[in-house]
Structures are given as structure tokens and as C-alpha cells.
Amino acid sequence: MGLMKTLTKVALGYAAARGVDRMSGGKGLQGLIGGGAQIKGAHPATKAGSQVTDQMQQGATQAAAPMQALLANLRTAGFDLSSMMGGQGNQAAQGGAQKGLLSSMPSTGGGGFAGMLAAAGGAAAMGGKGAGALLDQFNMEKSAPELEKSAGLMLRAMIQAAKADGHIDAEEKAKILELVGDDATEEDLAFIKAELEAPIDIKGLADATPESQKMPVYSASLMTIRVDTDEEAEYLDRLAQALGLDEPTVNALHVQMGNKPLYV
């Protein structure tokens, strides 16, 4: 099958999960702005830039007030988007542990994860900007071996981010493998399984990343998590530093992918 096709499947799966996750969070359109955990920055442009971004996001929230009221009225009338999407949203899992994006998705029974992707529809499109931007970063004129190497880096970045809070639950592992599908080669499956079991190695990932792929690798990690815990924010901070990405660049990537700036 090839790692490039595997990357496309996994990226779209996470994009769909992010879209449904944000739509089902019960916060109206304001909830579509992801992230929450942030890092105190040191770059001279960080504070000014984050203030401008906050003002822009506040303006967008105010402009969306009529739609928020409509969503509230729908909930009052009994149309609970959270329960329609599986009732999980971005709430903590049983026992207080925070579930990953994929493992918090509703069960789709016999339809499998492919059925969830089809059902996600518009929510996936709203949350899928990161996937499209991520895959657009590839230079399609490269040779197949170079594409495969780049795809492997993106997959490593996604799986590492899923473990940023110290673990990746069994359900999310299973859904990642389900996304990969039965048409994967033995080599592809072995690669994914090895990465799922491997410890986080930010330095190793950064050292293997060429200059042209630094922002795509960071974006791959970012689209995999909610950035609502200190552990996730600290992981992204360490990754940015290892890749040599400065604070304004990182904040711009976060805003472009629908998140709050990492650095304030």
C-alpha cells in the first residue's frame, strides 16, 4: 500500500475526529477554537502577536453569536449535538483519564471506523483543515522513496503526539490500526505497530526531519491532540525547540489550524 496512503488515511481519521470532537463539546461555535493549555513565551513578538490573535478570535466569536443562539435553542428543543455525536465530546474518560481524539469517538458498531468517517460529514470538513494543509506541504514531484520517507516522518509525529500525555490507550491504538486497514502491507503494519509501542523520542524525530519538512512534522503532531493539558503543550514546546521553529512561527501554525497560540 505504501506509507503515503497510510498517512492519508490516518490524517483524515484524525481530522474527522477533531471536527466531531469540537462540534460535540457543547460550547457552540466558540468551541471550534481548539487548545487551552499554553506556554509562557520569551520571543519579543509573542505577547503582541497573541494579543492580536485573541482579539481576532473574540471578534469571530461575537460575529457567530446568532449561530450560537441557534445551537442553544436546538439543545433546548431536545437536539443535543453531543449525544448525537456519541455523548463523549472532549470529556474525561471513565476513571478520570483523558481519552485521545480517536478513542473518544462514538462507537460505530459493524460499520467500523470508515462508517464514522462517512457520518462525520460536515464536522470532519470543519476540523479537517489541518489534514489538507498538512498533505499539501508535500512536493508531489519528489520520487516515491522520498515521499515514503516524508510520510513515515508524519506518521511518527502523529503517533508521538498521541502519547504526549504519557500514554496512548488501547482503544486509540486499535482505531489507528483500523484506519490503516486490511490492505496495508506487512511492512506498513510493522512500522505502525513499532511506532505505537516505541517511547517518545523528540530528538530522534527532529534529527531525522529535513529542513523542508519541519513545519509539516510539527503540524502533524498538532493535529493529533487537543492541546488542553500541560503535558501536550510541553510536548509541542519541546518539539518546536528541537525542530528549530521560533515562537511566532509556531503560533502562526496553531492559529492556521484552528487553535489558540501555543505561546503567550
Side-chain angles (χ1 to χ4, degrees):
M1 179 175 69
L3 287 177
M4 187 61 192
K5 187 173 180 180
T6 298
L7 169 63
T8 303
K9 285 186 173 185
V10 175
L12 291 177
Y14 271 108
R18 178 178 293 280
V20 175
D21 179 66
R22 292 186 182 179
M23 286 293 288
S24 63
K27 297 181 180 179
L29 296 185
Q30 185 177 7
L32 294 178
I33 301 174
Q38 295 176 299
I39 300 288
K40 185 173 178 59
H43 194 283
T46 294
K47 184 175 181 180
S50 63
Q51 288 174 343
V52 171
T53 301
D54 286 343
Q55 291 172 0
M56 292 174 61
Q57 291 179 336
Q58 288 171 7
T61 299
Q62 292 169 1
M67 184 61 71
Q68 290 179 329
L70 175 60
L71 291 175
N73 289 336
L74 286 173
R75 285 195 295 270
T76 301
F79 293 92
D80 185 352
L81 182 61
S82 178
S83 62
M84 289 170 67
M85 292 298 186
Q88 294 288 348
N90 58 359
Q91 301 299 314
Q94 292 181 354
Q98 182 73 22
K99 301 183 91 176
L101 277 176
L102 291 184
S103 56
S104 64
M105 293 303 298
S107 173
T108 55
F113 207 81
M116 185 283 293
L117 289 176
M126 297 181 75
K129 294 184 295 181
L134 171 68
L135 296 178
D136 285 345
Q137 301 262 6
F138 286 105
N139 181 350
M140 300 308 293
E141 294 181 356
K142 290 181 180 178
S143 64
E146 289 175 319
L147 274 177
E148 287 293 283
K149 183 177 179 180
S150 296
L153 287 171
M154 304 302 133
L155 288 165
R156 286 176 62 186
M158 286 181 168
I159 294 172
Q160 281 206 165
K163 296 182 279 191
D165 59 357
H167 72 283
I168 180 171
D169 60 71
E171 188 176 356
E172 186 152 22
K173 287 182 181 180
K175 288 190 174 181
I176 289 173
L177 290 172
E178 190 175 353
L179 280 175
V180 173
D182 296 334
D183 58 341
T185 65
E186 292 184 5
E187 291 81 4
D188 290 350
L189 282 173
F191 176 87
I192 296 297
K193 289 178 179 178
E195 290 300 320
L196 287 171
E197 298 303 324
I200 292 177
D201 182 9
I202 292 175
K203 184 179 184 303
L205 176 63
D207 288 346
T209 303
E211 188 69 29
S212 63
Q213 295 297 313
K214 287 184 176 182
M215 287 194 288
V217 162
Y218 184 89
S219 298
S221 274
L222 176 57
M223 73 174 294
T224 310
I225 53 181
R226 298 186 181 95
V227 202
D228 57 0
T229 67
D230 290 341
E231 290 85 357
E232 290 175 342
E234 289 165 2
Y235 163 81
L236 290 172
D237 176 45
R238 295 198 307 272
L239 179 61
Q241 291 187 43
L243 291 170
L245 300 177
D246 62 27
E247 293 176 13
T249 298
V250 170
N251 280 352
L253 287 172
H254 277 242
V255 172
Q256 181 182 5
M257 294 177 67
N259 288 280
K260 295 179 180 178
L262 179 64
Y263 298 106
V264 292

